[in-house]
Amino acid sequence: DTGVSQDPRHKITKRGQNVTFRCDPISEHNRLYWYRQTLGQGPEFLTYFQNEAQLEKSRLLSDRFSAERPKGSFSTLEIQRTEQGDSAMYLCASSSSTSWGTGELFFGEGSRLTVL
Amino acid sequence: QKEVEQNSGPLSVPEGAIASLNCTYSDRGSQSFFWYRQYSGKSPELIMFIYSNGDKEDGRFTAQLNKASQYVSLLIRDSQPSDSATYLCAVIPVNRDDKIIFGKGTRLHILP
């Protein structure tokens, strides 16, 4: 069990550029979550998947954000036309059906985005 | 109104004392409640979950739930410097199918 891995760990980009983050969940986990966290705040829900189906996308998320999980394994989060307000840590987490209800999410180490 | 509210702190507690962390939630129908711990520069990790009114104990940690008051708390007994972290309260709102919503967290400092 290698845990949840995220790539890249750090990304610096200029405003207006597109960025993509990848998340590889724990292999047997069928739920995958994306959160965004800024300094001094808790993780803010962005979206989540069960297998390849996207169950919900936060109303706070603009159309510049899109996430996919095409084969129910890894997931990508793309941000188009980045803005300085997008600077944050993007956290991916996964869970298995056996832990539903326990609230146990296994988080990756995050992808830190800095938009200049 | 935010779905989960916590005092951001910092809360400073002497080593060996009891640390008390509090959280309120807005969705009266919420059924599942969690406490996560996040060390500085690290990702959150689950330390407790509670579903029923009352207390749930796990080692030095006790989670308390009062659904009538929409209030969740975490007590840490015999606080240690290693308990210094941000504690995140989280809930699954009613009918939200395992979507977990976090509060902004309370920073806890244990003073040696």
Side-chain angles (χ1 to χ4, degrees), chain B residues 11-94:
Chain B
L11 174 66
S12 296
V13 173
E15 183 175 357
I18 296 175
S20 178
L21 302 157
N22 305 313
C23 167
T24 58
Y25 59 94
S26 61
D27 189 337
R28 182 170 290 278
S30 297
Q31 296 293 320
S32 307
F33 309 88
F34 316 96
W35 284 99
Y36 277 73
R37 178 176 60 200
Q38 186 172 25
Y39 291 114
S40 181
K42 301 295 185 181
S43 294
E45 57 179 342
L46 179 70
I47 53 173
M48 292 283 290
F49 62 88
I50 186 168
Y51 305 141
S52 304
N53 275 329
D55 296 358
K56 179 182 179 183
E57 187 174 318
D58 183 1
R60 296 186 297 111
F61 298 95
T62 299
Q64 298 176 317
L65 174 61
N66 183 327
K67 289 186 179 181
S69 300
Q70 296 176 235
Y71 182 90
V72 192
S73 64
L74 179 70
L75 302 178
I76 306 174
R77 289 182 300 281
D78 188 23
S79 298
Q80 303 297 310
S82 59
D83 295 326
S84 296
T86 295
Y87 289 80
L88 300 162
C89 176
V91 304
I92 296 178
V94 65

Side-chain angles (χ1 to χ4, degrees), chain A residues 36 57 61-67 77-79 86 90:
Chain A
R36 175 172 64 188
K57 180 178 174 180
L61 218 56
S62 78
D63 291 342
R64 297 184 298 105
F65 288 73
S66 63
L77 176 69
E78 181 183 18
I79 308 173
D86 297 332
Y90 289 84

Side-chain angles (χ1 to χ4, degrees), chain A residues 33 35 48 56 101 103 105 108, chain B residues 36 38 43 51 97-100:
Chain A
Y33 300 74
Y35 288 88
Y48 73 140
E56 185 173 338
L105 301 181
Chain B
Y36 277 73
Q38 186 172 25
S43 294
Y51 305 141
D97 196 23
D98 265 27
K99 170 184 168 180
I100 298 173

Side-chain angles (χ1 to χ4, degrees), chain A residues 35-110:
Chain A
Y35 288 88
R36 175 172 64 188
Q37 188 172 29
T38 54
L39 193 64
Q41 300 297 314
E44 175 191 11
F45 172 82
L46 296 180
T47 188
Y48 73 140
F49 294 84
Q50 179 172 323
N51 300 314
E52 66 276 9
Q54 188 172 20
L55 298 183
E56 185 173 338
K57 180 178 174 180
S58 170
R59 294 189 304 273
L60 301 176
L61 218 56
S62 78
D63 291 342
R64 297 184 298 105
F65 288 73
S66 63
E68 294 183 337
R69 195 183 182 196
K71 297 183 179 179
S73 56
F74 74 91
S75 176
T76 58
L77 176 69
E78 181 183 18
I79 308 173
Q80 296 182 327
R81 304 180 304 281
T82 53
E83 301 173 355
Q84 288 184 324
D86 297 332
S87 295
M89 179 71 83
Y90 289 84
L91 294 169
C92 177
S94 69
S95 68
S96 73
S97 55
T98 58
S99 65
W100 289 356
T102 69
E104 185 161 27
L105 301 181
F106 294 84
F107 282 88
E109 295 188 354

